[in-house]
């Protein structure tokens, strides 16, 4: 997440993934799979790879795992962003073996609509 790529050298798919990441409103998230579905191309692994290689300059903390677990190795940085943006979180359960909260995916997940839309888990598949 710390890479600052030469934007002029970005592959077209990476540019599109990062554009979607930039569209996600503060306090909301999309899963890797949601982003791929929005783009109608690739899958969660491809989106994750783009975010790992090129996402350092984008709001990387808004593109997440579908289970709400914070990005391994970046948990505290992500948590700082989530708290600053008011992203809905769930407290850690005793079974999780960690003290870190998870994202409340039912409330935090953004469907790609207007910034004030509800937390629907469905992603728009048509766009202009």
């Amino acid at each position: 997440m710390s890479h600052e790529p030469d934007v002029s050298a970005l592959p077209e798919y990476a540019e599109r993934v990062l554009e979607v990441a930039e569209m996600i409103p503060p306090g909301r998230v999309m899963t890797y799979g949601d982003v791929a579905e929005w783009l109608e191309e690739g899958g969660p692994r491809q989106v994750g790879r783009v975010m790992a290689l090129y996402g350092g300059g984008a709001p990387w903390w808004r593109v997440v795992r579908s289970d709400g677990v914070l990005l391994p190795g970046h948990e505290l940085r992500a948590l700082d962003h989530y708290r600053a943006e008011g992203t809905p979180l769930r407290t850690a359960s005793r079974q999780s073996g960690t003290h870190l909260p998870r994202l409340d995916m039912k409330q935090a997940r953004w469907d790609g609509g207007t910034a004030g839309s509800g937390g629907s888990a469905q992603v728009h598949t048509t766009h202009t």
Side-chain angles (χ1 to χ4, degrees), residues 108-125:
R109 200 167 184 181
W110 186 58
D111 67 3
T114 61
S117 69
S120 169
Q122 295 188 353
V123 176
H124 293 266
T125 57

Side-chain angles (χ1 to χ4, degrees), residues 12-67:
E12 192 242 333
Y13 183 71
E15 286 181 33
R16 294 176 60 216
V17 167
L18 297 177
E19 286 172 6
V20 174
E22 293 284 348
M23 291 176 11
I24 304 168
R28 304 303 294 276
V29 298
M30 287 179 94
T31 68
Y32 298 111
D34 290 343
V35 173
E37 187 175 337
W38 175 265
L39 293 173
E40 299 177 337
E41 184 181 351
R45 289 178 188 252
Q46 288 81 9
V47 171
R49 183 79 174 143
V50 167
M51 294 305 296
L53 292 176
Y54 307 109
W60 54 266
W61 60 93
R62 296 184 194 147
V63 181
V64 300
R65 293 172 38 160
S66 61
D67 62 4

Side-chain angles (χ1 to χ4, degrees), residues 57-103:
W60 54 266
W61 60 93
R62 296 184 194 147
V63 181
V64 300
R65 293 172 38 160
S66 61
D67 62 4
V69 171
L70 306 186
L71 182 65
H74 301 278
E75 299 94 340
L76 297 179
R77 286 180 47 217
L79 194 54
D80 285 344
H81 287 291
Y82 298 138
R83 288 182 172 147
E85 294 182 356
T87 307
L89 299 168
R90 294 176 44 206
T91 55
S93 67
R94 291 179 190 225
Q95 298 96 333
S96 71
T98 179
H99 66 284
L100 294 170
R102 287 182 177 212
L103 292 158

